[in-house]
Amino acid sequence: MKKVVLHDYGGYPFLFDISYQLSLKGYDVYHIYSSASGSPNGIFSESKNLCVIDLGKNLEKVQKDSFLKRFTQEYDYGKLVCNTIEKINPDIVFSANTPLLSQLRLIRLCEMKNIRIVHWLQDILSIAAEKVLSKKYKFLGSAIGYFFLQIEKRCLSEADYILAISDSFKNTIVNWGIDEKKILVFENWAQIDQIPLINRENDFSKEYDLLDSFNIIYTGTLGMKQNPELLFKIAQHYSKNSSSVKLIVVAAGAGKDYLVRKMLETPINNLICLPLQPYNRLPEVLGSADMLLATLNEDAGDYCVPSKVLTYYCSGKASFLIVPTHNLAARTTLIRKLGFASDPSEFNEILNTIDLNIKNPLELEQRGKNARTYAEENFKPKLLIEKFLGLFPDLF
C-alpha cells in the first residue's frame, strides 16, 4: 500500500478524519501538523498504520500580530516540514493551510523527489494578505500582497492537483489562469462523532453563570478578519438594552486581544472573553448557547469560508452568520434553514435578527435540529473517505 502524508499546518480537527480513514484502508499515513500555528488544534491519536507528528512542539507560537516575526517563523517552518517529509519519502502529500513560501518549497521538494502533491486550498492566502496588509501599510501592503499572489499562483500551477473547498475558490483561481482540469472541489465538514448533543445546563454554563441568560456564543479563531469590532458593538448594544443577553467569546487571536483591550477602555458586563477551551470541552461550550455566532468582514468573504460553522451544525444549535451573504457558509445556512445570515454592513438587520429569535425560541430550536440533521447526513467519515478517494483514481 502507498505511503501518504496529510500535512495540515493549522492542525484543525476535522482533517484528521481523512488520515484516520486512510489508515483503516491499509495506507501508511503520516498526519503532520504544527501546534505552534496558533490555530485551534484537535486531539490526534496514533493507531495502526497512522503516525502523528507535531512539528510545533519545540517551536515558539507564531506571532500573528507581527508581520516580520510571523514571516520569519513561517519561512523557517518550510525547511522543517520539507526535512520531515524528505525522511518519510511518501508517495503522496496532501498539504493544507500552509504558509505560501513553505508550501512552494514543499511542492518543489515533491517535484524533485517524484512525490505527487495535492494543494488543499482552504483559504486564498494571497488575497487575505493583500486585504489585511493594505489596511496596515497602504502602498507597501499592496506590494507585499502582489508578491504573495505570485507565490500562490506558482503553488497552484506546480501542484499535481488543487482541492478547493468551494466553487467560488475554483472560479477565482481559474480566472488567474490555473488549469481547470486539475481543480477538484471537496467541501469541508466537521467531526460529528466528537460533538455530541449536550444539555444547555452543563459544567461550562454553570461555571460562567449562563443558565438564566440568552447566550450568543462565538468560539474558534478570532482574527481581525472576523470583525471583532462588530462583536463589541453587539455586546454594547445589549448591555444598554437587555440585561438578559450575553455574548460569550471563547477564542484565540488578535481579534480576541482587541476585545480584551476594548473592555478595559469601555467596561461592559455582558461580554465574556475566554481562552479557547480544550477540544474535549467544546461540546459543553456549544451546548451552552442559544445562538452560535460566526463573523467575517466584507473583504474576507471572498477568500475565506468559516469552517467553525460546520462544527456549529453538529451541536444542534442554530447559527447566526454575520458574513457577506454570497459566502458558501451563508448560502448553505440559509438554503437549508440551519440558522440565519446577515451582511456585516447591516447592523440594524443584525439586531433585528437577534431580537426576533429571543422572542421566538421555537424557530431557533427547529433550525438547530435542522443543522444537526444536516451534519448527520453529510459528515459521516466513511462516506467522506469514499468520495475523497474517488476524486483521485490515479493517485490511489
Side-chain angles (χ1 to χ4, degrees), residues 34-237:
S34 173
S35 59
S37 67
S39 302
N41 296 157
I43 299 172
F44 307 134
S45 300
E46 294 190 337
S47 56
K48 184 181 178 181
N49 304 325
L50 177 56
C51 176
V52 176
I53 302 173
D54 175 11
L55 293 181
K57 60 185 177 182
N58 296 318
L59 300 179
E60 180 187 359
K61 286 279 186 184
V62 170
Q63 301 298 308
K64 292 188 176 182
D65 56 348
S66 170
F67 171 73
L68 289 177
K69 178 67 172 177
R70 179 177 182 175
F71 181 88
T72 301
Q73 289 176 300
E74 292 179 345
Y75 180 81
D76 291 343
Y77 179 81
K79 182 178 180 180
L80 180 60
V81 70
C82 285
N83 288 343
T84 304
I85 288 177
E86 191 168 11
K87 290 175 184 176
I88 295 170
N89 192 29
D91 299 289
I92 311 164
V93 171
F94 293 87
S95 187
N97 299 302
T98 310
L100 289 173
L101 288 173
S102 297
Q103 180 77 347
L104 183 60
R105 190 170 189 165
L106 176 54
I107 288 171
R108 290 185 169 170
L109 170 72
C110 290
E111 184 179 17
M112 183 176 66
K113 297 291 183 179
N114 200 28
I115 300 168
R116 306 295 297 279
I117 184 164
V118 178
H119 182 114
W120 204 329
L121 189 64
Q122 292 282 331
D123 292 292
I124 303 180
L125 296 177
S126 61
I127 297 179
E130 194 276 330
K131 298 289 187 184
V132 172
L133 294 173
S134 292
K135 291 177 181 178
K136 283 188 175 182
Y137 306 113
K138 295 187 179 178
F139 297 113
L140 179 60
S142 296
I144 296 171
Y146 180 79
F147 167 75
F148 280 120
L149 174 61
Q150 303 313 308
I151 299 298
E152 188 153 29
K153 285 181 179 180
R154 289 183 194 174
C155 290
L156 296 167
S157 297
E158 296 180 22
D160 291 293
Y161 284 106
I162 300 153
L163 196 58
I165 66 169
S166 77
D167 284 319
S168 63
F169 284 11
K170 177 180 178 179
N171 295 337
T172 295
I173 64 176
V174 166
N175 288 336
W176 289 355
I178 305 301
D179 183 1
E180 186 174 2
K181 294 178 183 177
K182 68 176 186 178
I183 306 171
L184 307 168
V185 176
F186 190 68
E187 292 184 10
N188 282 347
W189 67 99
Q191 287 186 307
I192 189 167
D193 294 342
Q194 303 297 317
I195 311 291
L197 298 175
I198 297 291
N199 289 333
R200 191 175 182 279
E201 184 175 343
N202 60 61
D203 290 344
F204 181 83
S205 59
K206 291 176 184 176
E207 182 177 350
Y208 293 101
D209 190 25
L210 305 177
L211 295 179
D212 299 320
S213 50
F214 184 88
N215 303 323
I216 304 170
I217 293 182
Y218 178 106
T219 187
T221 300
L222 181 60
M224 298 311 292
K225 71 182 180 184
Q226 279 87 15
N227 210 341
E229 183 178 359
L230 178 60
L231 297 182
F232 190 82
K233 284 178 63 179
I234 292 170
Q236 193 173 41
H237 169 83

Side-chain angles (χ1 to χ4, degrees), residues 213-371:
S213 50
F214 184 88
N215 303 323
I216 304 170
I217 293 182
Y218 178 106
T219 187
T221 300
L222 181 60
M224 298 311 292
K225 71 182 180 184
Q226 279 87 15
N227 210 341
E229 183 178 359
L230 178 60
L231 297 182
F232 190 82
K233 284 178 63 179
I234 292 170
Q236 193 173 41
H237 169 83
Y238 285 103
S239 72
K240 298 174 181 177
N241 295 280
S242 176
S243 60
S244 65
V245 177
K246 291 181 179 179
L247 177 59
I248 303 95
V249 176
V250 184
K256 189 242 182 161
D257 297 339
Y258 170 89
L259 286 179
V260 171
R261 291 195 301 271
K262 288 287 288 186
M263 290 172 68
L264 291 174
E265 297 168 3
T266 311
I268 50 177
N269 58 14
N270 66 333
L271 175 58
I272 301 171
C273 282
L274 302 171
L276 280 176
Q277 301 298 293
Y279 187 59
N280 58 8
R281 205 177 187 193
L282 179 59
E284 290 181 17
V285 175
L286 300 175
S288 302
D290 294 287
M291 174 185 284
L292 292 164
L293 193 62
T295 54
L296 284 177
N297 62 33
E298 290 284 355
D299 292 340
D302 295 329
Y303 59 79
C304 177
V305 178
S307 59
K308 64 169 58 66
V309 176
L310 305 173
T311 303
Y312 289 175
Y313 294 162
C314 297
S315 73
K317 298 297 179 79
S319 301
F320 183 24
L321 279 60
I322 307 176
V323 305
T325 50
H326 66 267
N327 188 271
L328 173 64
R331 287 187 280 117
T332 301
T333 298
L334 290 173
I335 291 169
R336 302 282 187 145
K337 295 187 176 180
L338 314 179
F340 307 88
S342 292
D343 193 276
S345 64
E346 301 293 337
F347 190 64
N348 287 335
E349 180 184 309
I350 291 165
L351 298 179
N352 287 338
T353 299
I354 295 172
D355 290 341
L356 286 172
N357 282 291
I358 292 172
K359 296 172 184 175
N360 190 4
L362 292 179
E363 181 66 17
L364 265 183
E365 182 180 355
Q366 183 57 56
R367 296 207 179 201
K369 289 178 179 177
N370 294 348

